[in-house]
Amino acid sequence: MAICRQGAGDRLLFVDMRGNVAITIKDIARQAGVSAATVSKVLNRKDQFISEETREKIWSLARERNYTPNSIARSLVTRSSRVIGIIVPDILNAYFTELVRACDVAARERGYSTILCNSDSDPEKEAAHLTFLASHGVDGIVMAASDLIPDAGLLERLRIPLISMDREIPELDCLAARIDTDYETGAFLSASHLIGAGHKRIAFVSGNPLASNTKIRRAGYERAHREAGLPIDPDLIECGAFNHRFGLMATRTLLDRTSFSAMCCMSDMLAMGATVALRERGLGVPEDCAVMGFDNIYIAPLLVRPLSTVERRISEAGQLAVDALIDFLDDPTQPRRMVLMEPTVILRETT
Amino acid sequence: MAICRQGAGDRLLFVDMRGNVAITIKDIARQAGVSAATVSKVLNRKDQFISEETREKIWSLARERNYTPNSIARSLVTRSSRVIGIIVPDILNAYFTELVRACDVAARERGYSTILCNSDSDPEKEAAHLTFLASHGVDGIVMAASDLIPDAGLLERLRIPLISMDREIPELDCLAARIDTDYETGAFLSASHLIGAGHKRIAFVSGNPLASNTKIRRAGYERAHREAGLPIDPDLIECGAFNHRFGLMATRTLLDRTSFSAMCCMSDMLAMGATVALRERGLGVPEDCAVMGFDNIYIAPLLVRPLSTVERRISEAGQLAVDALIDFLDDPTQPRRMVLMEPTVILRETT
DNA sequence: CTGAAAGCGCTAACAT
DNA sequence: ATGTTAGCGCTTTCAG
């Protein structure tokens, strides 16, 4: 925690640059000639019954000696850390980068800090992070879509208020809110746009085929086809993961297997990978193949050929999640929120 | 921390799903018929003098009742949290996303976790984060380039082992290592490549003009010109920030002000913004204007027109930083490391 | 081999 | 208006 050395007596002393012992509430108390309790009250602004004089003295002493409270000790007694944990599959996915940033901003605005964990969509890591966060006393957790159903037993046991983002989750006592995107509609809009533009063979690329958030999107894609009276060809479907590497591989596979004039990618990262694969084969976007993304990550409009995509207001979702969590922490009896965000289509230059 | 309710007696009880009180070392001790000290020893594997029998009993009890140690309490007494803090200007900048991810991976490999802070290149926020991290007892801090010189007094006072990445920093007692990139060479290579390709008027776009990491890059850009006997035109220089928004604006400004056939951007985000601005004006890359980036962020090769850039092995740098930090934590007497990473040029399709 | 005791820095009843 | 006391859950001598 800090570089320390043996003190004059027996106890370990934390020393600063000039060899002074690091400041605790007791030191302030001694110097001010009051008790630790009084210092605590003043510093926590529970000082209605403290004389103006001692108050002043304590504050000036604290400032002068650069007193910083030990949050660890405080958390131990108050059983609250004002920290919230955030678990996402992979912060390298720009969608989650934005989400995490939004959560962090929202949390800080309300006096909370965040601890970030990457799960790599691995349930083991996810469980480890959950335990880690619990053990570090976070007040709440925002958990975003990994592809798999979490260990509900663990979640129940931890009893830490939880916000679940974009994933199915069992009914939990500690569930503070669910923030979801209407994937079915999003995928439906995406496919419908492409169908409306005259495309008949549209590839569908998405994440883990076993995960509900892929199944649901696929349902939207299929509904668009049914409503347009178009057949659904399983050869056009490739599901694996939401990152750009899979987008690249899936597109190569599709290109080898069949033909199509448009792609319905279920994340922008996927769409970026797809675009690279298309170029590899000398196919122009959108002339030879149109590409739709999903998420509207902040780099989507920065691509040389700005990506048409499904907007899902990532930052708003992150903000919503954290606010719901902290509101729940403030008052756990309030009704649980279930938010379903409606996506919209943004047309740029890849379709 | 957890949902609690008033117990049978007076004290607050932390209850799990079945109404059981949350497990502490004492509970295990009571059930096993031993003392808390013994349980602590076993669970921490300081059990050379504990009988096989009690050891077994304690482990099985701990597992059965899902005991999770309270890290807060542990940190309070051990004065070590096995957490390291990471401060970056903005995780939305893909360069820092990668850096943070690499630090996190490296830290976890060695049994540490990370807490992330975004400073927005704001010294006030940076100071606040430093204080926050100190107060939360992190064992060390990795701090990456904000544009401004930090408050050395604060750093000295905190006395937390620090890794400084890509920035000038005063000689500090607690400085565990500095990881730097040779920006001068990087910028020199970038400009030289462009000059070698026949360009005579090359724009230079970089971050905060007052920050040393801009000045140093500018020196490399100018040296390339001098060595090639080319004049340096201040009209071609635009410095402000490293993000894509500034890249966009700067390029518009440059385009309005003067003419050039190539751009030397001091970050890939800047280059992405520049590319957008160029397109806006109907200029093709690289036919009408070549663009060089810097950083080689993972999306650089994913752009429709893959970006030529200066590679700086971001993940390796992050890994290096965390390893240096933890090595220092393990043995503070070892010599401080100063690493200067050498960048190389990667040619793709924008030049 | 095990336990008792002390204490990390702080807060919160309850006295005074 | 302030101090006393008792702990939060854990680790760590030191004494049996």
Side-chain angles (χ1 to χ4, degrees):
Chain A
M1 174 192 252
I3 298 155
C4 54
R5 71 168 191 224
Q6 205 68 22
D10 259 337
R11 80 186 175 102
L12 279 178
L13 296 180
F14 284 65
V15 297
D16 77 7
M17 194 171 50
R18 288 177 194 77
N20 303 321
V21 174
I23 290 306
T24 74
I25 219 172
K26 269 190 196 160
D27 300 318
I28 304 276
R30 199 176 326 114
Q31 274 195 56
V34 298
S35 76
T38 303
V39 177
S40 172
K41 280 173 202 151
V42 170
L43 263 21
N44 288 301
R45 303 198 151 74
K46 291 178 179 161
D47 54 0
Q48 19 167 352
F49 299 126
I50 308 287
S51 75
E52 188 58 32
E53 195 193 335
T54 26
R55 209 182 300 174
E56 296 279 85
K57 204 191 309 176
I58 288 168
W59 274 117
S60 79
L61 234 31
R63 254 190 294 271
E64 181 188 317
R65 311 219 29 201
N66 289 306
Y67 168 76
T68 313
N70 181 326
S71 309
I72 305 245
R74 178 184 293 173
S75 296
L76 188 58
V77 31
T78 61
R79 322 193 73 90
S80 156
S81 58
R82 305 224 100 195
V83 172
I84 73 184
I86 301 185
I87 304 180
V88 295
D90 179 14
I91 195 165
L92 274 184
N93 182 322
Y95 169 68
F96 292 113
T97 318
E98 273 185 79
L99 186 64
V100 162
R101 185 64 154 112
C103 288
D104 186 69
V105 169
R108 280 179 205 283
E109 253 162 31
R110 300 191 53 176
Y112 283 73
S113 303
T114 59
I115 295 185
L116 171 66
C117 298
N118 293 95
S119 71
D120 294 319
S121 297
D122 173 350
E124 307 256 304
K125 285 192 192 175
E126 206 169 76
H129 288 143
L130 245 12
T131 307
F132 167 81
L133 292 171
S135 143
H136 280 264
V138 298
D139 290 346
I141 293 178
V142 174
M143 188 157 65
S146 111
D147 288 335
L148 296 125
I149 305 299
D151 175 352
L154 178 60
L155 253 18
E156 281 291 6
R157 229 182 297 121
L158 261 22
R159 296 196 71 70
I160 298 177
L162 181 83
I163 302 285
S164 164
M165 300 201 71
D166 299 315
R167 85 151 97 188
E168 306 262 320
I169 206 158
E171 205 29 73
L172 238 41
D173 231 35
C174 55
L175 188 71
R178 260 186 75 184
I179 313 288
D180 253 306
T181 294
D182 184 348
Y183 289 128
E184 205 275 342
T185 301
F188 173 82
L189 290 175
S190 176
S192 295
H193 164 65
L194 263 4
I195 293 171
H199 295 282
K200 301 249 180 289
R201 290 189 59 74
I202 303 168
F204 176 85
V205 184
S206 186
N208 189 327
L210 303 173
S212 66
N213 63 37
T214 284
K215 289 183 190 155
I216 292 171
R217 294 181 215 219
R218 184 162 167 178
Y221 165 86
E222 297 189 349
R223 179 162 67 89
H225 282 69
R226 275 198 312 279
E227 294 194 3
L230 243 39
I232 294 154
D233 181 354
D235 269 3
L236 289 168
I237 313 276
E238 272 295 313
C239 298
F242 281 115
N243 58 55
H244 66 88
R245 284 176 303 275
F246 182 73
L248 182 77
M249 285 166 35
T251 307
R252 287 177 183 153
T253 307
L254 285 162
L255 250 14
D256 289 338
R257 183 167 68 207
T258 183
S259 67
F260 47 92
S261 65
M263 300 185 68
C264 213
C265 298
M266 289 300 122
S267 84
D268 286 346
M269 298 304 287
L270 240 21
M272 287 174 69
T275 304
V276 172
L278 255 13
R279 269 197 99 245
E280 261 176 17
R281 305 283 173 106
L283 267 16
V285 178
E287 316 85 77
D288 302 312
C289 184
V291 175
M292 280 290 292
F294 203 115
D295 291 345
N296 194 28
I297 57 180
Y298 75 106
I299 34 180
L302 299 182
L303 303 179
V304 176
R305 182 118 313 175
L307 192 63
S308 295
T309 193
V310 177
E311 153 83 272
R312 56 190 289 206
R313 289 172 293 140
I314 305 171
S315 295
E316 195 183 322
Q319 156 103 252
L320 225 45
V322 168
D323 279 336
L325 179 57
I326 298 177
D327 288 343
F328 181 86
L329 293 176
D330 289 346
D331 172 18
T333 65
Q334 60 167 3
R336 314 286 163 91
R337 285 176 221 173
M338 299 291 151
V339 180
L340 223 208
M341 302 188 65
E342 285 302 324
T344 53
V345 160
I346 295 186
L347 267 18
R348 287 195 275 247
E349 303 180 25
T350 57
T351 58
Chain B
M1 175 191 254
I3 297 155
C4 54
R5 71 168 191 225
Q6 205 69 22
D10 260 337
R11 84 185 173 102
L12 278 179
L13 297 180
F14 285 65
V15 297
D16 76 7
M17 194 170 49
R18 290 177 195 77
N20 303 320
V21 174
I23 290 304
T24 75
I25 220 172
K26 270 190 198 162
D27 299 318
I28 304 276
R30 201 177 322 116
Q31 274 194 57
V34 297
S35 76
T38 305
V39 177
S40 171
K41 282 172 200 153
V42 171
L43 263 20
N44 288 302
R45 303 198 151 74
K46 292 179 178 160
D47 54 0
Q48 18 167 353
F49 298 126
I50 308 284
S51 75
E52 187 57 32
E53 196 194 336
T54 26
R55 210 182 300 175
E56 296 279 85
K57 204 190 310 174
I58 287 169
W59 275 118
S60 79
L61 233 33
R63 256 190 294 272
E64 180 188 318
R65 311 219 29 200
N66 289 306
Y67 169 76
T68 312
N70 181 327
S71 308
I72 305 245
R74 177 183 293 173
S75 296
L76 188 58
V77 31
T78 62
R79 322 194 74 90
S80 157
S81 57
R82 305 223 101 195
V83 173
I84 73 185
I86 301 185
I87 304 180
V88 295
D90 178 14
I91 194 160
L92 274 184
N93 182 322
Y95 168 67
F96 292 113
T97 317
E98 273 185 79
L99 185 64
V100 162
R101 184 65 154 111
C103 288
D104 186 68
V105 169
R108 280 180 206 282
E109 253 162 33
R110 300 191 53 176
Y112 283 74
S113 303
T114 59
I115 296 186
L116 171 66
C117 299
N118 294 94
S119 71
D120 294 319
S121 297
D122 172 351
E124 306 257 305
K125 285 193 193 174
E126 206 169 76
H129 288 144
L130 244 14
T131 307
F132 167 81
L133 291 172
S135 142
H136 280 263
V138 298
D139 290 347
I141 294 178
V142 174
M143 188 157 66
S146 110
D147 288 336
L148 295 125
I149 305 300
D151 175 352
L154 177 60
L155 253 19
E156 281 292 6
R157 229 182 297 122
L158 261 22
R159 295 198 71 70
I160 298 178
L162 181 84
I163 303 284
S164 163
M165 301 200 71
D166 298 317
R167 87 150 97 186
E168 305 263 321
I169 207 158
E171 204 33 71
L172 238 40
D173 231 35
C174 56
L175 187 70
R178 259 186 74 184
I179 314 288
D180 253 307
T181 295
D182 184 349
Y183 289 129
E184 205 276 343
T185 302
F188 174 82
L189 291 174
S190 177
S192 295
H193 164 66
L194 262 6
I195 293 171
H199 295 283
K200 301 251 180 289
R201 290 189 59 74
I202 303 168
F204 175 85
V205 184
S206 186
N208 189 328
L210 303 173
S212 65
N213 63 36
T214 282
K215 290 183 189 153
I216 292 171
R217 295 182 214 216
R218 184 162 166 177
Y221 163 87
E222 297 190 348
R223 178 162 67 90
H225 281 70
R226 275 198 312 278
E227 295 193 1
L230 241 41
I232 294 154
D233 181 355
D235 270 3
L236 288 167
I237 314 276
E238 272 295 313
C239 298
F242 281 116
N243 59 55
H244 66 88
R245 283 176 304 275
F246 182 73
L248 182 77
M249 285 168 34
T251 307
R252 286 176 184 156
T253 307
L254 285 163
L255 249 15
D256 288 338
R257 183 167 66 206
T258 183
S259 66
F260 47 90
S261 65
M263 298 185 68
C264 212
C265 298
M266 289 300 122
S267 85
D268 285 347
M269 298 302 288
L270 241 20
M272 288 174 68
T275 305
V276 172
L278 257 11
R279 269 197 100 245
E280 259 177 18
R281 306 284 173 105
L283 267 17
V285 177
E287 316 86 77
D288 301 314
C289 183
V291 175
M292 281 289 292
F294 203 115
D295 292 344
N296 194 28
I297 56 180
Y298 75 106
I299 34 180
L302 299 181
L303 303 179
V304 176
R305 181 119 313 177
L307 192 63
S308 295
T309 192
V310 176
E311 153 82 274
R312 54 190 291 203
R313 291 172 292 139
I314 305 171
S315 294
E316 194 184 321
Q319 156 103 255
L320 226 45
V322 168
D323 279 337
L325 179 58
I326 299 178
D327 288 343
F328 180 86
L329 258 19
D330 289 346
D331 171 18
T333 66
Q334 61 168 358
R336 314 286 163 90
R337 286 177 220 171
M338 298 290 151
V339 180
L340 222 208
M341 302 188 65
E342 285 302 323
T344 54
V345 160
I346 295 185
L347 266 19
R348 286 194 276 249
E349 303 180 24
T350 56
T351 57

